[in-house]
Amino acid sequence: MSKRYEYWNKEMELKNRKELDEIQNKRLRAIVKYCYDNVPFYNKKFKENNLHPDDIKTKDDIIKIPITYKQDLRDNYPFNMFAVPMKDIVRIHASSGTTGKPTVVGYTAKDIETWTELMARTIMATNVTKEDIIQNAYGYGLFTGGLGFHYGAEKIGATVIPISGGNTERQILIMQDFKSTVLTCTPSYSLYIAEYLKNLDIDVDSLSLRVGIFGAEPWSEALRSKIEDALHIDAFDIYGLSELCGPGVSIECPEKAGLHIWEDHFIPEIIDPENGEQKNMGEQGALVFTTLTKEGIPLLRYLTNDITVLNEEKCNCGRWHIRMRKVIGRADDMLIIRGINVFPSEVEYQLMKIPGVSENYQIIIDRDILDRLILKVEVTPEAFSDKVSEMEDFKKNIEQRLYSSLQIHANVELVAPGKIERSIGKAKRVIDLRTKNI
Ligand code: DLL
């Protein structure tokens, strides 16, 4: 059977490479000038680097522009990177981050319109339409997930249930009674909901759910299979970050062969996070974005630190918009354990392949004299046993499998079902205790 592909803005979504390049070159010239004229940070940066907006004629010139770092936003906290006066800002969002002050972003009325358009495209790319009832369990508030989905879902004419995150029992009641067809939340929260349904002995087939749009944190293909199996839905990956708008930067289409980045609004690049050099298509590195249409807080070559690979081939869905591979992790989350580089998502991928291991785990890195990797792994109720010898064998088996696939020595600690804390938003799966010991 041939696949069905829905589009919100067919004209823009189906532009070919040459057309997209033309749009990008034109918009790049305009945004560079806009930043130079309106953001003192960029004006100074350009002058320090003997750079003038006229030096940027096409995308090939983009490498002349210095990288913008998250630290630059922190240094300009809260509003100094804004390109317009506060009277023109109609909304503020912020991402919490684990340390220090949040990263603050501001939207003009036009920015909200653009974001809404991007979210409309994004939601429809997963074949969700106005026929659907969307249970939006992303947090509403300073976090961009809730409101981002809300506006996009309303735009396409779907029915939105603005339930926000948490109160899982109520989520389930609403899901049953309102016959939600789409669930939007973090992948970890979707699993929590699935677990709750199981504990309440509710048959998932008695629900109306058919699609899940999950993002805001990395999740492996193995986790996708677990979610799809547990909820009997089609699960799509959505990516975004507050600094660019929030969700709606990229989305998987039904091909699930990478996430399409909306290139009429963003220019993506991959750089080497070590030396800042641009990498070629198909090479892995850190994702960098230039915003092409933002008014409130335009950003040139903003380093996300998210690790991925870009692919500019045309997709079977008809879109040419560049695809990014599922994010492997953040460059700053990469674990270097006794000299071996490991992404938490690789650990997750290997772990999820082992029968009896649940999707609840924690990676703890500690330092005695050498670094120690402790993996707290929750056993599924089916695999859990009171017999110490059985659990001991299971633990050794996990340790051996991780060693043979990732060449890392992990001390596995098995825990009983339900013992690892669940999350309603972004899961905290990695705990690095090393900094505390230094
Ligand atoms: O997490 C925006 C969002 C909301 C995306 C809802 C998708 C769904 P921030 O809180 O600013 O924004 O966090 C952005 O989260 O740089 C990535 O490290 C991570 N991230 C977001 N989506 C994904 C994803 C929102 N699909 C940071 N896969 C980003 C992996 C993701 N990581």
Side-chain angles (χ1 to χ4, degrees):
M1 205 177 74
S2 68
K3 285 203 182 105
R4 180 168 70 96
Y5 305 110
E6 297 281 352
Y7 311 92
W8 168 252
N9 179 346
K10 207 164 187 174
E11 198 201 328
M12 200 46 100
E13 291 180 51
L14 296 184
K15 291 247 184 268
N16 65 30
R17 185 70 261 150
K18 189 164 162 283
E19 291 167 322
L20 285 172
D21 284 344
E22 277 165 13
I23 295 171
Q24 289 187 321
N25 286 334
K26 192 166 158 232
R27 291 187 173 176
L28 176 65
R29 285 190 290 271
I31 201 75
V32 166
K33 184 163 183 333
Y34 179 76
C35 288
Y36 185 82
D37 291 343
N38 296 289
V39 185
F41 167 83
Y42 280 121
N43 187 284
K44 187 162 164 258
K45 258 251 151 70
F46 270 55
K47 285 181 178 152
E48 278 168 6
N49 287 275
N50 285 327
L51 197 63
H52 190 269
D54 292 344
D55 300 329
I56 313 298
K57 296 193 170 64
T58 70
K59 281 197 292 177
D60 293 340
D61 298 318
I62 209 167
I63 49 171
K64 296 179 188 163
I65 304 173
I67 299 287
T68 305
Y69 299 92
K70 203 179 183 82
Q71 188 59 41
D72 295 323
L73 294 182
R74 291 204 187 107
D75 293 346
N76 287 285
Y77 176 87
F79 305 142
N80 284 345
M81 290 286 275
F82 290 9
V84 297
M86 281 310 273
K87 70 176 169 53
D88 293 333
I89 295 287
V90 300
R91 174 106 61 87
I92 298 282
H93 279 288
S95 70
S96 47
T98 41
T99 49
K101 300 243 168 82
T103 306
V104 184
V105 291
Y107 304 69
T108 64
K110 184 165 159 262
D111 288 336
I112 297 286
E113 254 174 53
T114 308
W115 185 21
T116 303
E117 148 80 19
L118 292 183
M119 276 309 291
R121 284 187 205 175
T122 297
I123 294 170
M124 272 193 89
T126 66
N127 285 352
V128 167
T129 67
K130 61 184 302 191
E131 308 291 328
D132 281 292
I133 300 177
I134 304 180
Q135 181 154 340
N136 187 16
Y138 282 107
Y140 280 66
L142 283 178
F143 176 58
T144 52
L147 284 169
F149 264 91
H150 188 101
Y151 276 56
E154 278 188 356
K155 184 83 178 170
I156 65 165
T159 310
V160 195
I161 306 171
I163 189 162
S164 197
N167 201 342
T168 310
E169 220 162 296
R170 191 171 151 84
Q171 298 273 357
I172 289 170
L173 180 96
I174 299 264
M175 201 174 269
Q176 288 177 310
D177 294 350
F178 296 8
K179 303 204 172 358
S180 315
T181 57
V182 180
L183 175 65
T184 57
C185 60
T186 57
S188 43
Y189 190 46
S190 77
L191 279 164
Y192 186 24
I193 293 177
E195 187 179 33
Y196 223 96
L197 283 165
K198 201 168 168 208
N199 291 343
L200 293 176
D201 230 355
I202 296 172
D203 175 11
V204 285
D205 290 330
S206 70
L207 302 172
S208 309
L209 283 185
R210 61 175 200 90
V211 167
I213 311 179
F214 305 127
E217 63 186 7
W219 51 307
S220 62
E221 280 299 336
L223 207 66
R224 185 197 323 255
S225 305
K226 288 224 174 203
I227 296 172
E228 291 189 332
D229 289 350
L231 288 172
H232 298 184
I233 56 170
D234 207 3
F236 292 86
D237 192 2
I238 175 169
Y239 168 88
L241 58 159
S242 319
E243 296 90 316
L244 296 204
C245 60
V249 175
S250 67
I251 184 71
E252 281 178 330
C253 67
E255 292 297 317
K256 295 191 185 165
L259 292 79
H260 289 282
I261 296 169
W262 301 119
E263 278 193 89
D264 48 330
H265 293 276
F266 308 109
I267 297 181
E269 294 171 72
I270 293 289
I271 65 160
D272 182 334
E274 300 289 317
N275 59 23
E277 272 172 34
Q278 197 183 47
K279 291 202 159 195
N280 295 324
M281 267 308 136
E283 286 182 342
Q284 181 172 304
L287 192 53
V288 164
F289 284 106
T290 296
T291 67
L292 292 174
T293 50
K294 279 180 65 185
E295 292 183 339
I297 175 164
L299 292 171
L300 304 177
R301 305 196 79 206
Y302 181 70
L303 176 64
T304 66
N305 256 331
D306 292 319
I307 302 292
T308 186
V309 177
L310 296 178
N311 170 7
E312 65 175 358
E313 281 164 30
K314 183 182 179 187
C315 178
N316 289 340
C317 71
R319 293 181 185 88
W320 287 83
H321 291 256
I322 280 186
R323 279 169 286 165
M324 54 185 265
R325 199 179 284 170
K326 231 172 178 324
V327 171
I328 300 166
R330 297 180 54 80
D332 40 10
D333 278 353
M334 189 176 73
L335 308 169
I336 306 176
I337 299 158
R338 301 190 194 180
I340 298 172
N341 298 352
V342 189
F343 280 105
S345 63
E346 290 169 327
V347 176
E348 176 181 294
Y349 183 72
Q350 296 303 333
L351 268 182
M352 292 304 114
K353 288 200 290 193
I354 306 173
V357 166
S358 85
E359 54 286 348
N360 299 295
Y361 67 92
Q362 263 176 353
I363 300 174
I364 301 163
I365 311 117
D366 204 350
R367 181 173 289 159
D368 190 356
I369 294 171
L370 291 169
D371 293 343
R372 275 195 323 153
L373 176 68
I374 302 155
L375 269 182
K376 261 196 184 171
V377 174
E378 206 181 278
V379 182
T380 62
E382 299 76 33
F384 191 65
S385 158
D386 289 342
K387 292 209 182 94
V388 177
S389 63
E390 274 181 25
M391 287 292 95
E392 194 54 34
D393 287 348
F394 188 33
K395 164 187 143 81
K396 288 216 176 90
N397 180 280
I398 301 173
E399 287 173 348
Q400 274 161 9
R401 286 178 73 154
L402 285 171
Y403 186 73
S404 62
S405 50
L406 300 174
Q407 272 70 56
I408 50 167
H409 284 288
N411 296 322
V412 170
E413 283 178 14
L414 297 179
V415 297
K419 289 290 178 227
I420 289 181
E421 199 191 332
R422 308 297 192 252
S423 87
I424 58 162
K426 299 187 191 229
K428 177 109 187 84
R429 292 214 171 90
V430 181
I431 300 167
D432 196 337
L433 300 171
R434 286 179 295 190
T435 40
K436 294 200 180 130
N437 292 347
I438 295 169

